Amino acid sequence: MSDAPQFAPPTRGQAERAARKAQRMVERQARKSAHDPARPPEFDVLIVAQGGGIDREAAILAASLRLNAPGFRGRLIVAEPQPGGAWDGTDPRMSSPAREALIALGAEIRPLHARSFGRSYPHGNKIEALALLDPSRPFLFLDSDTLVTGDLDAVAFDFARPSASMRREGTWPKPPPYHHDYDSIWRSLYDRFGLDMDGSLDLSQPEDHWERFLYFNAGWFFGPDAAEFHRRFHDWAVAVRDDPGEALACQSLDPWLDQVVLPLVIHSLGGGRPGPELAGFDGEITWHWRNLPLLYALAPEPALATFESIAALPEIAPLLAGWEPAERLLAGGEGRRLIRPFGAAHPPQAPERALRKRLKRAGLWLT
């Protein structure tokens, strides 16, 4: 049995103080965002939630949205995978406490009946979930392990020009020696779907360097019409999975399939790399934390403070009870005391995998 400090729900006084603090922030943000003619059109936020802890992450995201974007005019739509279909043989649905927390936080839960991906490729949830959104309505997809740390309505989205997260590394493809290079691998995909790859290139990057080619992290992306975005994302992902083609014969598509096809979809819809108006994503507006050790190691202080404030809320605290990362890193203080220094010493441009290895060696890689 672990001798780490046990995470306990907040006392009544702590919960009341957290609620008052949240209400003050709501009022401040509402005053800032009211009557602003430059605000973008109303849009919906889509996330996926299922059992195994993803539902806990989704509740934390919902709480952060209510706390830091109180004037958000759209809907938070939660896609919940259902048993059967591509999830046959398992029950992916949320726990009752997480479901109740999401409803209390204003989320709208819609059932997702997966047909194409499911348990064989859980990352495909985000692709199939797009079909649950209203057609012809702008959307923003967020991975459930994301914190909203600023006012989403203050972002100058150009929904006619879709984009996605650039917080990524050169994870795909891995060109084999003396055979296909980056250009031929990516060009085979663009040619397959009738797209002009040359218009997507970043010519400031060297030839055959991975950053020359359009590549995103799928932790967030947005578009003007969920129905059309879903059609292309789904159909092209299934096509690549079922018949990768000769140029991709040596390439792994698990877990990279969504990130392989996403640039094709965005480019085909007239989008591309995010501009300066989206700089707050993966920064002051959102933070994709991935797991608790990385949150304590790499997150900006406002994102970490948001998480710690949310942890005391009466909707969230019961979901953290018994979760070892929260017991040790939050309640036990190991996050700020032990992990934060690892992040401070990690060079900003260094690969994240090096930090992960250091945390594992120190016994601090908790999931």
Side-chain angles (χ1 to χ4, degrees), residues 10 46 65 86 102 134 168 220 227 244 261 293 302 321 330 351 363:
L46 172 67
L65 177 65
L102 281 163
D134 299 352
R168 79 284 190 256
W220 64 262
V261 177
L330 176 59

Side-chain angles (χ1 to χ4, degrees), residues 79-91:
E80 181 187 29
Q82 302 296 301
W87 282 100
D88 192 34
T90 189
D91 187 349

Side-chain angles (χ1 to χ4, degrees), residues 182-184 186-187 190 196-215 267 271-273:
Y182 283 102
D183 190 283
S184 63
W186 278 114
R187 196 169 295 277
Y190 282 81
D196 171 26
M197 187 181 83
D198 291 339
S200 73
L201 299 177
D202 180 354
L203 300 180
S204 69
Q205 297 291 341
E207 290 189 16
D208 212 42
H209 175 66
W210 70 270
E211 289 180 285
R212 187 178 179 90
F213 306 90
L214 199 60
Y215 189 53
H267 182 62
R273 296 168 182 82

